[in-house]
Every structure is written in structure tokens, then in C-alpha cells.
Amino acid sequence: LMRVQSALIWNISPLMSSAQPPVMYTTSLWSLPFESGAPVRLLQAQERALLRDLRSAIDKRIENKIASARRFAVRVRNHAKMVDCYLTTYYNNKSLFGNKKQISDQIIEHPQNYHIYEGLS
């Protein structure tokens, strides 16, 4: 059993995108009792490991969702800061008789002249 499992891992590993070999669990999912001569302790230990790793994966899934939401919130905040810098620069540079479209195009095309990125940092 262990030789078959090792050969399977050896052959599957190059196909996986991870540098670590895949984890394989040798367990019986039958509700019937084990047959005589079966490696009962190994199968029970593997079943406990499978259940422990499933619980861990569920917990990590929630942590990953929280981290993803946090990254998204940071991106939204940065975007809002950038829009605020552009609008502040526009309002500070527009004049009553000036061409508003021309000023906005100048700010968009040459933000370094208006110190947009310095305001973001």
C-alpha cells in the first residue's frame, strides 16, 4: 500500500503547480468494520489527519476571504485618494474664464507638472 502511494505521488508531483508533493490520505470511508489483516491504526490515523486538514482548510478559507477583502479595501482607498488629488488639482487650477476641458486634459496628460503623485504619497 505504501509503495503504491509513493509511486503515485512520485508520478503526480511533476504535474502539480506546487513545489511540495501532494498530500494523499489512505483511509476507508466504508461504514463497515475493517477486515482482519487491514492496517487499522494507519487507516484511522490517516482519517484523523484528513479531518484535521479539512477543518484547517475551512478556517484558512475564511482568513483568505478577510485578507482579500482587506486588499480590495486598500485599493478602493488608494483610488479614492487619487481621484481626490485630481479633483483638488483641477479645482485649484481652473479659472472663471479658462477652458475647463483644456485644464483637465493637461492635468491628465501631465500629472507630474501638477504634483499629483506627490500628493498621493
Side-chain angles (χ1 to χ4, degrees):
L1 181 65
M2 297 305 287
R3 203 176 316 139
V4 170
Q5 185 177 8
S6 298
L8 185 59
I9 289 174
W10 181 263
N11 289 320
I12 287 179
S13 291
L15 303 175
M16 305 297 281
S17 61
S18 175
Q20 296 180 350
V23 177
M24 292 188 62
Y25 301 97
T26 307
T27 185
S28 173
L29 301 176
W30 283 23
S31 59
L32 301 174
F34 295 110
E35 294 181 7
S36 61
V40 177
R41 287 189 312 161
L42 171 69
L43 295 173
Q44 289 174 342
Q46 289 283 305
E47 184 177 348
R48 284 191 300 273
L50 172 65
L51 294 174
R52 182 187 64 239
D53 289 348
L54 281 174
R55 256 184 256 115
S56 173
I58 290 170
D59 292 343
K60 286 181 183 177
R61 180 173 173 236
I62 292 169
E63 290 172 9
N64 289 341
K65 282 189 175 188
I66 292 169
S68 177
R70 185 177 185 283
R71 283 191 305 271
F72 183 72
V74 167
R75 289 175 64 190
V76 168
R77 182 195 65 198
N78 291 342
H79 182 75
K81 283 182 178 181
M82 184 180 288
V83 169
D84 183 57
C85 281
Y86 273 100
L87 287 175
T88 302
T89 303
Y90 172 75
Y91 290 130
N92 290 339
N93 288 293
K94 77 174 186 169
S95 63
L96 188 59
F97 300 109
N99 186 347
K100 295 175 184 175
K101 173 79 169 129
Q102 184 181 11
I103 292 172
S104 65
D105 289 343
Q106 283 294 321
I107 293 171
I108 291 170
E109 291 173 13
H110 306 287
Q112 67 277 3
N113 295 345
Y114 296 92
H115 310 289
I116 297 285
Y117 300 120
E118 293 171 13
L120 290 174
S121 61

